[in-house]
Amino acid sequence: KVSRRSIGEAWALHGPIDCFRAAGLERNFLSLSRRPTAFTGTTDALGYAAVARGQVEAFAEGPGPEVWDLAAPRLLVEEAGGRFSDFRGRRTHAGLGSLASNGRVHAELLDALGPIPEDRRR
């Protein structure tokens, strides 16, 4: 299992960039992806499973998936000791976007994504 504690060391996965664009977070996401962190695109099922298994520190996915698509990944990540939230940091799978992590890099990733534009909040 990986156990990196900062996004400067972290390995992270992400869903389609178009989803970040839909949330008004494309610029912040692209800025984050240029950091030393290794970001790689993948499907949501593989991303959440990799976090739950401890293979990567985080997986971020913009808005798009329905609540029923995220209920099981949230449960798996949290049962594995990780953290799951929307992009506002709320412990939910029904908010705007989703971020799953080992818990150690969660707050730092939320800060790097930046505030959600007012017109995109739910």
Side-chain angles (χ1 to χ4, degrees), residues 51-117:
V51 172
R53 292 184 63 184
Q55 295 172 311
V56 298
E57 280 75 29
F59 176 73
E61 181 171 40
E66 300 291 343
V67 293
W68 52 82
D69 295 322
L70 299 173
R74 176 182 166 198
L75 177 67
L76 292 172
V77 168
E78 289 179 349
E79 287 294 315
R83 185 171 167 201
F84 192 103
S85 76
D86 67 4
F87 288 163
R88 294 181 71 198
R90 298 178 303 180
R91 186 176 169 248
T92 183
H93 58 277
L96 181 65
S98 60
L99 177 62
S101 77
N102 64 3
R104 296 176 176 150
V105 298
H106 207 90
E108 195 175 357
L109 284 168
L110 287 171
D111 286 344
L113 281 173
I116 296 171

Side-chain angles (χ1 to χ4, degrees), residues 19-45:
C19 293
F20 292 93
R21 186 176 300 120
L25 296 172
E26 179 182 20
R27 182 180 307 197
N28 293 2
F29 173 75
L30 291 174
S31 175
L32 174 63
S33 68
R34 289 185 192 104
R35 292 182 181 198
T37 306
F39 271 87
T40 303
T42 189
T43 64
D44 56 354

